[in-house]
Amino acid sequence: MRFIRVVVIIGVVLGGLFVGVDRWAVGYAEDRLAEQVRSRQGLAGSAEVEIHGFPFLTQALSRDLEQVDLKLDGVDVTADGRKTRLSELKASFHEVKLNEGYNGGTAKRAEGSAQISYEDLTKASQNGVVLTYGGAPNKVKVTATLDFLGKTMTRSVVSTVALVDAGGSKVVRVRADAVPGEGIPGIESAVRKRTDFDRRIDDGLPAGLKLASLTSDESGVHLALSGSDVSLAGS
């Protein structure tokens, strides 16, 4: 009985040491991967990484991770050649195969979400308009100043913001629901030239992660993302 007790105690101690080493290793790996992502993305904000699954060391030895969660703040993406900031991006990468350098990998599949504030959406409009919440889901208020018939006027419209297929890819589209004509010929066309626009996100998301759907509320525009064979840091 004493021998069995000693064996149990040794097993508990060794098990505790293994768990401690494993948790230290996963914490170190998360920090290094976060640094790699931050460097690759050129982030103005922060990067947080969480590696799921236990034990981590056996996953690392096989270079196969069950799931890696990523949270980024201040991500710059390119919308039609102009930088647009995502205030937040979250993504979950599943069945990640690490590269030989352990500084990145490729996920079999991934899904996530991103948010664009109205302030950053205003900057992305490139039309000199101001966008704010439109009072209902998927509605934005677009305010534009324009010159018409020799007069400078300001007009606000409620527009629908949606994700649509265009040219084989997804684009963010803003279209006014209606433009009051005020009995002036040509004013609707003039307003729409300022308030209606499409923006294609060309670059800045992890390679393989694509726009899937879009919603909006008081805090901004929310993008759902998904993809397969998605790159996670690395080169």
Side-chain angles (χ1 to χ4, degrees):
M1 293 294 293
R2 184 177 180 182
F3 172 75
I4 294 175
R5 184 185 305 169
V6 170
V7 170
V8 170
I9 291 173
I10 292 174
V12 170
V13 171
L14 291 178
L17 288 174
F18 174 77
V19 171
V21 170
D22 189 81
R23 293 302 88 192
W24 174 86
V26 73
Y28 177 79
E30 289 170 345
D31 290 343
R32 289 298 301 274
L33 188 54
E35 290 176 7
Q36 188 72 20
V37 172
R38 188 182 299 112
S39 175
R40 184 182 180 187
Q41 295 288 142
L43 291 183
S46 63
E48 297 177 15
V49 172
E50 181 179 1
I51 299 174
H52 293 264
F54 179 83
F56 164 72
L57 290 173
T58 57
Q59 295 185 77
L61 287 173
S62 65
R63 294 196 285 127
D64 291 311
L65 303 182
E66 294 178 13
Q67 179 179 330
V68 178
D69 289 345
L70 177 65
K71 179 182 177 182
L72 306 177
D73 295 321
V75 182
D76 286 331
V77 296
T78 303
D80 289 333
R82 182 171 179 171
K83 282 189 176 181
T84 302
R85 175 151 297 182
L86 305 179
S87 53
E88 182 179 84
L89 186 152
K90 296 180 180 179
S92 293
F93 301 82
H94 304 276
E95 299 180 63
V96 178
K97 185 66 177 180
L98 296 173
N99 59 30
E100 293 184 359
Y102 286 88
N103 64 346
T106 301
K108 188 173 182 180
R109 60 184 177 86
E111 70 277 339
S113 62
Q115 179 175 327
I116 307 176
S117 69
Y118 289 114
E119 179 182 359
D120 288 322
L121 191 59
T122 294
K123 294 176 182 178
S125 70
Q126 303 180 25
N127 293 345
V129 299
V130 176
L131 291 97
T132 56
Y133 180 52
N138 291 3
K139 301 295 182 181
V140 294
K141 181 181 178 181
V142 185
T143 301
T145 299
L146 65 151
D147 293 322
F148 186 74
L149 299 179
K151 295 182 179 180
T152 300
M153 58 181 67
T154 299
R155 292 293 182 271
S156 295
V157 296
V158 174
S159 301
T160 297
V161 57
L163 194 66
V164 301
D165 290 308
S169 63
K170 300 284 188 179
V171 300
V172 178
R173 173 165 292 174
V174 177
R175 290 289 185 273
D177 294 344
V179 178
E182 303 173 15
I184 306 174
I187 191 170
E188 178 175 352
S189 176
V191 172
R192 284 190 178 276
K193 284 181 180 179
R194 300 281 290 168
T195 61
D196 292 358
F197 61 91
D198 291 350
R199 288 296 173 265
R200 188 188 314 273
I201 295 180
D202 307 301
D203 192 23
L205 297 175
L209 204 57
K210 307 294 184 182
L211 303 181
S213 62
L214 177 152
T215 58
S216 68
D217 58 20
E218 295 93 333
S219 61
V221 174
H222 307 272
L223 303 170
L225 312 168
S226 64
S228 57
D229 297 326
V230 181
S231 175
L232 176 62
S235 57

